[in-house]
């Protein structure tokens, strides 16, 4: 038996559901969403600690990484963060702002999934779950029926096929390379993917820091000219927290991450000022006032800090230089990252040089579209990847709706 829809979308995540709903707003078209999971929006529900960081107040192309950096401009301009915020308000979803313009649901990420599901229902979108995609084939010489998708042994045909399969991050939620394989089948190259927005792991000689698991502090983390300020968290496997996740996008294997553990003041000024009125204070006491005490104690225990018992009056210029290097110029050499298991998103993906930035359609394959994370577009931590899902989905939906007129 053959099932026909004008548009089939593979993937019931943020981009796929939003695209389906937006196409449906224009009416007339039959839209089917196929997904391998048991329920829709699985990654949405896990995001933002279960509260979904659905966008950011400050969104610009500079917040995105891509081999083709201009690609995001058109879509982001045509459906902005304010457009999605208006939709959130229309549904009466309470939200709040955290640091750096990040917007989260007050109640639960389920509110965003409910919004998308309601809009899909109003648009009469047919959502088919537990659909294992067996194959995708082009159908030649028929502008109304361009593709055949086989799922669970059943054939589905369509005029428009939208790939919203996401990347490889969080495989426990059903991530797979399906979208990349479909692109390659149609001669569209893939920028090699890797885990993105992901914690670092320790080399053997840094495993002493496992004793600090749960300790966090505000740092500057940098690779090359890229610097991020934010919290860093010691874990039993490595370094995590927003600053580490952000800089992971720019890090290359065997490259050090430069970390300033005291970014808001210099240790030289601090010791000099403290020395003036408490010359007999021990250095370890002074350091514990501005850095986590457990970190200072661990440095002393493992002889990474040998000055701890000195008084401030005994600290020399050479000692201050050593402290500067220890605190402001830590060169952390990661063993690697935790990989896709804990990565927020995937860096790399479908080469955007082969995709229209206005419509998300493949340049050489009429009716084939790619949206969301499957593309070589990666946003910073802070709601930017969701905004790319909304914006790219909108651009695709608008193009499909207009092509049906």
């Amino acid at each position: 038996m053959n099932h026909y829809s004008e548009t089939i979308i593979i993937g019931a995540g943020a981009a796929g559901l939003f695209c389906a709903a937006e196409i449906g707003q224009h009416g007339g078209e039959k839209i089917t969403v196929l997904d391998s999971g048991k329920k829709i929006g699985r990654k949405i529900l896990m995001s933002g600690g279960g509260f979904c960081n659905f966008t950011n107040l400050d969104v610009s192309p500079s917040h995105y990484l891509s081999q083709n950096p201009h690609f995001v401009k058109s879509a982001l301009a045509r459906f902005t963060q304010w457009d999605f915020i208006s939709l959130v308000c229309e549904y009466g979803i309470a939200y709040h702002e955290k640091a750096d313009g990040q917007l989260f649901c007050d109640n639960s990420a389920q509110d965003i999934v409910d919004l998308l599901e309601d809009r899909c229902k109003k648009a009469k979108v047919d959502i088919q779950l537990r659909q294992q995609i067996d194959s995708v084939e082009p159908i030649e010489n028929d502008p109304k029926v361009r593709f055949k998708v086989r799922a669970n042994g059943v054939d589905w045909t369509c005029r428009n096929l939208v790939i919203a399969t996401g990347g490889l991050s969080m495989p426990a939620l059903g991530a797979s390379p399906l979208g990349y394989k479909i692109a390659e089948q149609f001669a569209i190259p893939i920028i090699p993917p890797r885990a993105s927005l992901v914690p670092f792991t320790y080399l053997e000689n840094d495993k002493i820091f496992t004793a600090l698991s749960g300790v966090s502090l505000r740092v500057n983390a940098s690779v090359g000219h890229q610097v991020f300020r934010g919290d860093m968290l010691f874990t039993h496997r490595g370094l995590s927290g927003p600053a580490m996740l952000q800089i992971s996008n720019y890090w290359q294997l065997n490259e050090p991450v430069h970390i300033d553990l005291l970014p808001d003041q210099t240790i030289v000024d601090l010791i000099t000022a403290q020395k003036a009125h408490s010359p007999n204070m021990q250095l370890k006491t002074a350091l514990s006032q501005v850095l986590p005490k457990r970190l200072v104690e661990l440095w002393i225990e493992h002889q990474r800090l040998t000055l701890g018992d000195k008084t401030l009056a005994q600290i020399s210029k050479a000692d201050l230089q050593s402290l500067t290097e220890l605190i402001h110029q830590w060169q952390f050499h990661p063993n690697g990252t935790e990989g896709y298991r804990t990565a927020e998103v995937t860096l790399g993906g479908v080469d955007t040089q082969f995709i229209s930035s206005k419509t998300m359609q493949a340049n050489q394959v009429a009716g084939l579209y790619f949206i969301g994370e499957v593309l070589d577009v990666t946003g910073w931590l802070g709601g930017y990847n969701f905004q790319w899902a909304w914006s790219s989905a909108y651009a695709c939906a608008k193009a499909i709706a207009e092509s049906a007129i």
Side-chain angles (χ1 to χ4, degrees):
M1 181 179 178
N2 175 53
H3 300 272
Y4 176 77
S5 288
E6 279 85 0
T7 299
I8 290 176
I9 299 172
I10 301 179
L17 293 172
F18 193 65
C19 185
E22 286 299 308
I23 298 170
Q25 301 306 309
H26 298 275
E29 289 233 340
K30 184 178 181 184
I31 307 143
T32 300
V33 177
L34 303 177
D35 191 273
S36 61
K38 297 178 182 179
K39 58 183 179 180
I40 64 173
R42 288 175 291 172
K43 198 169 177 183
I44 299 173
L45 294 171
M46 292 287 290
S47 67
F51 293 92
C52 188
N53 180 193
F54 56 83
T55 193
N56 195 291
L57 292 176
D58 177 25
V59 177
S60 73
S62 65
H63 293 110
Y64 294 86
L65 291 83
S66 175
Q67 295 289 318
N68 178 10
H70 299 292
F71 181 79
V72 300
K73 291 181 178 178
S74 176
L76 291 176
R78 291 161 69 203
F79 190 87
T80 71
Q81 67 272 36
W82 308 111
D83 293 315
F84 194 79
I85 291 167
S86 294
L87 193 56
V88 166
C89 292
E90 179 185 326
Y91 273 76
I93 297 173
Y95 66 90
H96 58 278
E97 178 187 353
K98 285 193 177 180
D100 304 318
Q102 302 172 48
L103 300 186
F104 290 78
C105 298
D106 283 0
N107 179 38
S108 161
Q110 185 67 51
D111 288 345
I112 300 298
V113 175
D114 290 346
L115 179 158
L116 296 170
E117 185 174 25
D118 181 70
R119 285 172 64 78
C120 283
K121 283 181 179 178
K122 289 177 178 176
K124 297 182 172 56
V125 174
D126 179 21
I127 299 176
Q128 296 283 332
L129 299 175
R130 304 190 188 199
Q131 297 293 317
Q132 193 64 42
I133 306 299
D134 303 316
S135 64
V136 172
E137 299 175 16
I139 297 175
E140 305 293 341
N141 303 319
D142 188 345
K144 292 184 179 179
V145 185
R146 294 169 173 153
F147 305 96
K148 180 173 73 173
V149 179
R150 173 158 286 203
N152 294 354
V154 175
D155 289 339
W156 299 75
T157 56
C158 60
R159 185 178 76 251
N160 303 302
L161 179 61
V162 181
I163 310 303
T165 50
L168 300 176
S169 57
M170 299 186 184
L173 298 180
S176 83
L178 176 62
Y180 306 148
K181 291 179 179 178
I182 293 172
E184 290 178 325
Q185 180 184 338
F186 288 91
I188 301 170
I190 302 299
I191 303 299
R194 67 179 176 95
S196 168
L197 298 179
V198 62
F200 294 111
T201 55
Y202 293 130
L203 284 171
E204 192 62 36
N205 67 339
D206 280 332
K207 286 188 177 178
I208 61 169
F209 294 112
T210 58
L212 300 180
S213 183
V215 172
S216 68
L217 68 164
R218 194 158 183 83
V219 304
N220 275 356
S222 62
V223 168
H225 297 295
Q226 189 65 52
V227 183
F228 287 103
R229 177 170 298 198
D231 289 342
M232 181 184 78
L233 173 69
F234 290 95
T235 76
H236 64 280
R237 291 185 298 271
L239 298 182
S240 187
M244 295 299 107
L245 300 188
Q246 293 278 33
I247 208 65
S248 72
N249 278 352
Y250 298 86
W251 175 77
Q252 299 296 325
L253 193 63
N254 299 322
E255 185 179 26
V257 177
H258 299 269
I259 302 172
D260 182 348
L261 296 168
L262 198 62
D264 294 321
Q265 53 189 315
T266 69
I267 194 63
V268 172
D269 290 345
L270 186 147
I271 296 300
T272 302
Q274 195 76 289
K275 182 178 180 178
H277 60 79
S278 302
N280 294 322
M281 178 184 288
Q282 287 186 309
L283 176 65
K284 62 184 177 183
T285 302
L287 293 181
S288 295
Q289 292 177 353
V290 292
L291 292 168
K293 185 178 180 181
R294 285 169 58 189
L295 173 60
V296 176
E297 290 173 344
L298 183 136
W299 279 340
I300 294 171
E301 179 186 352
H302 292 274
Q303 297 187 331
R304 297 201 178 187
L305 174 63
T306 58
L307 313 169
D309 290 331
K310 280 190 174 185
T311 66
L312 299 186
Q314 295 172 318
I315 298 298
S316 66
K317 286 185 178 180
D319 292 337
L320 288 174
Q321 180 58 36
S322 296
L323 286 171
T324 296
E325 292 173 3
L326 177 68
I327 294 170
H328 296 296
Q329 299 166 12
W330 180 21
Q331 290 193 41
F332 173 68
H333 292 265
N335 183 51
T337 73
E338 290 192 10
Y340 292 118
R341 184 180 63 84
T342 58
E344 300 259 343
V345 289
T346 304
L347 196 69
V350 174
D351 191 340
T352 57
Q353 299 282 2
F354 293 75
I355 308 297
S356 165
S357 62
K358 284 191 173 183
T359 66
M360 303 295 132
Q361 183 174 218
N363 294 333
Q364 304 301 321
V365 187
L368 180 63
Y369 300 81
F370 294 85
I371 58 175
E373 189 184 343
V374 72
L375 288 161
D376 172 37
V377 173
T378 304
W380 289 6
L381 187 73
Y384 299 104
N385 288 293
F386 272 120
Q387 186 58 46
W388 174 246
W390 316 135
S391 296
S392 60
Y394 177 85
C396 174
K398 188 169 176 54
I400 288 175
E402 288 174 352
S403 72
I405 296 174

